[in-house]
Amino acid sequence: MGGGKVTRPGFGLGQPDPGHPMTEFYTLLLEALSGAESFALPGLYARFDPPAWPIEPEEAKDWAALSPAPKEGFVRLVPPGRLRVLSAELRCTPAGAPAALMLTEEGRRTTCAVRLLPPFLWPSDEAAPPWPDASSALTVTLGPDAPDLADAAPQTLARRLIESGAGKAWVSHPLLDRWLAAQAARWQNLWR
C-alpha cells in the first residue's frame, strides 16, 4: 500500500485560470445553466458553392457558406430550437484557458460544445484553444456591452446568453457533415 502519486480530482482536465479574461464569462454562464432547463440553439442554413474543378470530400466544407438565419439560396439543415440541458461542465486547456462549455442533452446524451467569443480582440500570440470532442459545436459572440453587464447585471447577461439565439452560430453538426458529404459526392459524380 502507499507509494502512489496523489493527484487532484478532475481526471487530468485543466482547471480554469481565474486570471484568464474569459473565465468570468464562462463561470457566469455555467452557474446560470445549473438553474436553466434549456439552452436556445440557432438555426443552421448552408449553401454549397463548389469551384469549377473537382474537389475531394474533405474539401467540401471550404466551399460551403453557413448562416444561423435564413438567406436566399441557402438550405435549412437545422431549425432554431432548444437543447434540454441535463448537465454542463467547463473544459479548459492544461494552462487553464477556457476551451468550451460542454452541454449534455437530456434524453439523447449527446454533447454540444459551446465556445464564447470575446467582445475584445485575442492577443495575437494566444491562439484559440482546440475544440473538445463533442457531437456538435457552436459559438456565442459576446456583445460589446458584455463586460459592463457582467459587472452591473450578471443575471441579465446570463439569461440573454441562455434564452436568445442571437449571436450564436453552428461550427459543426452531424446534419452538416452528412449534407456536406452528399454535396461532395454529387459534385464528384458530375466530374466523372
Side-chain angles (χ1 to χ4, degrees):
M1 310 245 187
K5 181 178 175 185
V6 178
T7 60
R8 70 172 189 241
F11 305 100
L13 298 175
Q15 301 300 310
D17 174 11
H20 192 280
M22 291 301 291
T23 300
E24 174 185 11
F25 297 106
Y26 278 101
T27 305
L28 175 69
L29 183 55
L30 184 62
E31 289 171 1
L33 282 167
S34 67
E37 290 185 11
S38 63
F39 182 79
L41 298 174
L44 175 58
Y45 300 84
R47 184 181 69 214
F48 187 61
D49 290 320
W53 57 84
I55 60 169
E56 296 298 321
E58 58 273 2
E59 295 177 299
K61 192 165 189 170
D62 297 338
W63 299 97
L66 305 178
S67 173
K71 289 184 177 179
E72 186 177 336
F74 281 63
V75 176
R76 184 179 83 174
L77 301 177
V78 178
R82 302 203 65 83
L83 181 140
R84 292 188 51 82
V85 180
L86 175 66
S87 65
E89 68 174 295
L90 176 58
R91 295 279 176 90
C92 298
T93 64
L101 281 177
M102 299 298 289
L103 305 181
T104 303
E105 186 174 8
E106 186 177 288
R108 294 180 43 201
R109 305 281 179 154
T110 58
T111 56
C112 180
V114 177
R115 176 168 291 166
L116 300 178
L117 300 179
F120 44 79
L121 295 176
W122 284 103
S124 59
D125 59 342
E126 183 180 340
W131 284 95
D133 287 335
S135 307
S136 57
L138 63 93
T139 59
V140 179
T141 303
L142 296 172
D145 63 339
D148 293 334
L149 273 176
D151 292 334
Q155 297 309 319
T156 303
L157 175 61
R159 191 170 39 256
R160 181 176 19 159
L161 294 174
I162 291 171
E163 297 298 324
S164 173
K168 296 177 181 176
W170 289 104
V171 175
S172 70
H173 193 282
L175 294 175
L176 173 62
D177 296 340
R178 284 192 289 250
W179 182 79
L180 285 172
Q183 298 305 312
R186 184 178 61 83
W187 190 245
Q188 283 185 333
N189 284 337
L190 290 173
W191 281 93
R192 287 186 184 170

